[in-house]
């Protein structure tokens, strides 16, 4: 069995060691394709692979066409908008993710971005504190739950809206459940996005939601840039000179925002929410174990495509 790890953005070396150990113990060969710069390298490498581990790497029909032995793809992470599930199903390939494995890393980045912003980029001037401020979580999945835990530690007053999570489950975690995204944006000084990029959520963070935010609003996006309507975001930041935008993903309007509100906008140069040794170890090893369990025992827990 050949397991290919194809990561344009590599895992920490210690995580690769752990993945290799799982593969070797199962009698599999592990092949690494890291920091590849063109698609052909991935198409060539996948040609004789039985299993594939990726991060945000694009896995589309061309990959499934090229990978004649492929049985399973595991996205070592949560969001799987980079994987064409319909093409996987047509090719008879099982697709899984590793939910929750990198959630703490993303949650800690949310806290880091917020502290950086409210303490004026650590420039020594007098800033504000997070304690006592209202934080709204748009979606209460693994990342949202971890952000709630960290934010409560900082003394924030945490609210959440999740269309798919019962209110009781949210409140059991000591978080106030609200009835709509509108109520969340209206109530909270800080809103942190944790929705996946789907046909329903793309462009969904628009003027009508942003305008509801109270004075001193901070929007944090460690989810996907596609969920924001960037035209509306730029207009909102132009009009609302009290508002700030913090992102783990440089939006297409990055240069424009640097001109419009250089002091009120910050984005990491590369998506780094899950870039910790711990998250890489957790997600990478979980992916390798899921592959072995699928091939050896037929275990389809975490399967995403039907
Ligand atoms: C995820 O969906 O798990 C995160 O966005 C992390 O993505 P990455 O593996 O590309 O860093």
């Amino acid at each position: 069995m050949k397991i290919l790890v194809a990561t344009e953005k590599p895992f920490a070396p210690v995580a690769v060691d752990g993945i290799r150990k799982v593969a070797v113990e199962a009698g599999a060969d592990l092949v690494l394709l890291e920091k590849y710069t063109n698609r052909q390298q991935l198409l060539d490498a996948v040609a004789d692979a039985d299993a594939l581990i990726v991060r945000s790497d694009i896995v589309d029909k061309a990959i499934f066409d090229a990978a004649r032995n492929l049985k399973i793809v595991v996205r070592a992470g949560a969001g799987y908008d980079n994987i064409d599930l319909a093409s996987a199903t047509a090719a008879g390939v099982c697709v899984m993710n590793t939910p929750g494995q990198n959630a703490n890393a993303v949650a800690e980045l949310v806290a880091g971005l917020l502290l950086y912003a409210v303490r004026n980029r650590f420039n020594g001037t007098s800033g504000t504190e997070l304690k006592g401020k209202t934080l709204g979580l748009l979606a209460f999945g693994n990342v949202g739950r971890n952000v709630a835990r960290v934010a409560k530690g900082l003394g924030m007053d945490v609210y959440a809206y999740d269309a798919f999570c019962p209110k009781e489950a949210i409140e059991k975690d000591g978080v106030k459940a609200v009835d709509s995204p509108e109520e969340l944006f209206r109530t909270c000084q800080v809103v942190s996005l944790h929705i996946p990029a789907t046909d329903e959520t793309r462009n969904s963070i628009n003027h009508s939601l942003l305008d509801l935010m109270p004075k001193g609003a901070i929007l944090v996006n460690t989810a996907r840039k596609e969920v924001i309507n960037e035209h509306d975001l730029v207009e909102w930041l132009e009009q609302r000179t009290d508002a700030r935008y913090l992102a783990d993903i440089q939006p297409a309007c990055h240069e424009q925002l640097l001109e419009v509100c250089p002091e009120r906008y910050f984005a990491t140069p590369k998506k780094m929410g899950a870039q910790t040794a711990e998250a890489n170890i957790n997600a990478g090893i979980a992916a390798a174990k899921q592959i072995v369990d699928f091939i050896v025992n037929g275990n389809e827990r975490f399967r995403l495509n039907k």
Side-chain angles (χ1 to χ4, degrees):
M1 169 171 54
K2 170 176 161 179
I3 302 176
L4 172 67
V5 176
T7 47
E8 187 271 323
K9 181 175 60 184
F11 291 120
V14 62
V16 177
D17 293 344
I19 295 169
R20 180 171 287 109
K21 188 162 176 282
V22 173
V24 168
E25 279 171 8
D29 294 326
L30 189 84
V31 177
L32 268 187
L33 176 68
E34 293 181 322
K35 294 188 188 171
Y36 58 93
T37 47
N38 66 65
R39 288 265 298 166
Q40 194 55 47
Q41 290 171 277
L42 178 55
L43 290 167
D44 291 344
V46 86
D48 61 347
D50 298 282
L52 174 63
I53 297 176
V54 292
R55 295 185 64 177
S56 291
D57 309 78
I58 304 293
V59 183
D60 56 12
K61 184 171 182 301
I63 303 289
F64 293 111
D65 288 346
R68 289 174 300 279
N69 296 342
L70 196 62
K71 294 156 193 72
I72 177 167
V73 177
V74 183
R75 192 288 189 236
Y80 49 90
D81 46 310
N82 52 317
I83 306 202
D84 179 347
L85 293 188
S87 293
T89 302
V93 176
C94 173
V95 180
M96 297 184 187
N97 63 351
T98 64
Q101 300 290 351
N102 58 23
N104 181 65
V106 181
E108 289 190 13
L109 185 72
V110 172
L113 288 168
L114 280 173
L115 288 166
Y116 180 64
V118 299
R119 301 304 287 266
N120 301 336
R121 302 174 179 231
F122 306 137
N123 69 3
T125 62
S126 182
T128 58
E129 298 183 17
L130 293 172
K131 187 176 176 191
K133 304 294 187 301
T134 46
L135 168 69
L137 304 169
L138 188 60
F140 202 64
N142 290 304
V143 180
R145 273 167 228 264
N146 275 278
V147 176
R149 174 179 52 77
V150 173
K152 282 194 290 174
L154 290 164
M156 297 188 82
D157 191 11
V158 187
Y159 293 73
Y161 174 76
D162 190 316
F164 304 99
C165 180
K167 276 178 131 182
E168 302 73 52
I170 294 176
E171 303 211 320
K172 206 162 86 31
D173 278 3
V175 172
K176 298 178 184 92
V178 298
D179 288 319
S180 64
E182 285 75 13
E183 189 181 346
L184 192 79
F185 277 72
R186 193 180 300 116
T187 308
C188 296
Q189 293 154 301
V190 181
V191 170
S192 187
L193 306 176
H194 301 293
I195 46 177
T198 65
D199 289 346
E200 287 74 39
T201 63
R202 276 186 199 95
N203 282 317
S204 64
I205 308 304
N206 56 19
H207 244 313
S208 54
L209 281 175
L210 295 171
D211 283 346
L212 297 172
M213 288 191 78
K215 197 165 167 26
I218 304 180
L219 180 67
V220 191
N221 184 8
T222 56
R224 291 289 182 272
K225 63 182 173 190
E226 291 82 3
V227 302
I228 298 218
N229 180 317
E230 292 194 10
H231 171 268
D232 288 8
L233 176 72
V234 174
E235 269 191 8
W236 180 64
L237 287 164
E238 268 170 352
Q239 289 159 9
R240 286 278 303 267
T241 53
D242 61 298
R244 285 177 272 188
Y245 180 58
L246 311 171
D248 183 25
I249 323 99
Q250 281 191 357
C253 59
H254 173 70
E255 298 297 333
Q256 216 179 337
L257 290 182
L258 287 180
E259 272 177 35
V260 168
C261 52
E263 303 293 319
R264 295 181 287 118
Y265 162 64
F266 174 78
T268 55
K270 271 197 166 190
K271 188 160 75 118
M272 55 168 287
Q275 278 295 61
T276 66
E278 292 88 342
N280 291 172
I281 291 168
N282 293 344
I285 293 179
K289 286 185 174 166
Q290 287 172 217
I291 285 171
V292 172
D293 205 15
F294 173 76
I295 302 273
V296 176
N297 305 315
N299 188 340
E300 298 199 350
R301 191 175 171 215
F302 303 119
R303 184 177 185 130
L304 298 164
N305 59 331
K306 299 300 162 209

